[in-house]
Amino acid sequence: QFQMSSTAMPGSVGIMISAPRESARNLQPGQTVERCVVTEVVMGGAAHKSGQVRVGDYLSEVLDTNKSSEFIRTDGLSRIEIRDLLSGDIGTPVVLRLERQGKTVDVGLVRGLARIDNGRQPSPENEPPSTQVGLGLAIEIAEEGCTVLNTVIGGGAHSCGKISTGDLLIAVLDRARSTDFVPTAGLDFNQVRSMILGAPGSKVTLKMQQSRAKGGAVYLCEDLVRGTQVDALNSPQPKAPAAAAA
């Protein structure tokens, strides 16, 4: 498994994906391999700035010459394994091979810091959508509950220093809206996200639970400041390999 360099800041291409939790080697008889599909292109990230990555694209292969001399197929890989392929130090190049409506395109990107544009997400009453920002917290609603996929470097969630991939977000406290924690159990994705969003500079407290692998302890990330995400770095695009589409 790829380990990020400890001498440089880890970066992102700024996409969210739908991919299997387990690799194909752990599939039960009769189960089919789930494809890796782009579910969101993060505003301000490398993928968004390229203008070539779309929601619904099938991410079939990834090329990072710092890790492999050839494209690596995503079919059969788990979500964590694919995330490792996409992750790397800020400023390093990576090529995504995408399939869309029967056509294949290779997109060269430079990893950077991603900024989540929360302006288009549901907003609380009486708060203009344009003022809505979040904590840089990527989540999904899974069987276990509201699960953390990633934290964006420079965001309020990352500044907490405690939140890890696989942890559960079990309740949210925004004292401007409620005097008590609001549980996330039973809520859908947009409902949870709307609780996290708020005005720039406002604060929110998250009640979290470690993943079972880490013991399952409950902890708090108190008074996280919304709107501290950092824009993606303006780095030059990498040169795609000779076989890449023009």
Side-chain angles (χ1 to χ4, degrees), residues 15-19 36-41 54-57 120 149:
I15 63 172
M16 296 185 187
I17 59 172
S18 172
C36 178
V37 177
V38 177
T39 59
E40 185 172 347
V41 180
R54 303 177 189 173
V55 172
D57 285 351
R120 65 186 187 285
L149 297 176

Side-chain angles (χ1 to χ4, degrees), residues 40-244:
E40 185 172 347
V41 180
V42 179
M43 186 72 72
H48 175 259
K49 289 190 173 184
S50 76
Q52 300 182 69
V53 183
R54 303 177 189 173
V55 172
D57 285 351
Y58 163 44
L59 175 59
S60 61
E61 299 179 69
V62 178
L63 172 63
D64 182 339
T65 55
N66 291 319
K67 304 173 186 177
S68 172
S69 59
E70 299 178 346
F71 276 95
I72 298 176
R73 291 197 61 81
T74 62
D75 287 348
L77 299 182
S78 70
R79 183 181 305 153
I80 297 298
E81 290 169 329
I82 296 172
R83 190 179 300 132
D84 284 345
L85 287 178
L86 296 173
S87 300
D89 294 335
I90 288 176
T92 56
V94 62
V95 180
L96 311 186
R97 179 161 288 171
L98 305 169
E99 294 184 17
R100 182 190 309 144
Q101 298 178 343
K103 297 181 179 180
T104 300
V105 59
D106 289 352
V107 181
L109 304 173
V110 171
R111 298 178 177 101
L113 294 177
R115 176 178 65 85
I116 294 180
D117 179 8
N118 290 314
R120 65 186 187 285
Q121 301 301 331
S123 57
E125 188 177 2
N126 301 324
E127 213 166 293
S130 60
T131 68
Q132 294 294 289
V133 292
L135 299 170
L137 182 67
I139 58 172
E140 70 169 354
I141 305 300
E143 292 181 4
E144 297 87 350
C146 182
T147 305
V148 174
L149 297 176
N150 197 11
T151 58
V152 177
I153 296 173
H158 183 265
S159 69
C160 173
K162 301 177 184 178
I163 302 174
S164 300
T165 298
D167 287 358
L168 299 179
L169 171 58
I170 57 178
V172 178
L173 172 61
D174 183 340
R175 292 184 176 85
R177 303 171 185 169
S178 173
T179 57
D180 298 311
F181 277 96
V182 178
T184 61
L187 301 183
D188 63 25
F189 177 83
N190 283 332
Q191 289 172 321
V192 175
R193 179 170 258 183
S194 68
M195 291 198 300
I196 296 173
L197 301 181
S202 61
K203 296 180 179 181
V204 62
T205 295
L206 307 182
K207 182 178 290 187
M208 308 292 302
Q209 183 175 14
Q210 292 178 335
S211 62
R212 292 181 182 177
K214 293 186 176 181
V218 173
Y219 62 93
L220 295 179
C221 285
E222 299 184 79
D223 295 331
L224 302 183
V225 179
R226 296 181 173 107
T228 54
Q229 297 94 329
V230 181
D231 285 325
L233 298 179
N234 293 318
S235 303
Q237 295 293 308
K239 294 181 179 179

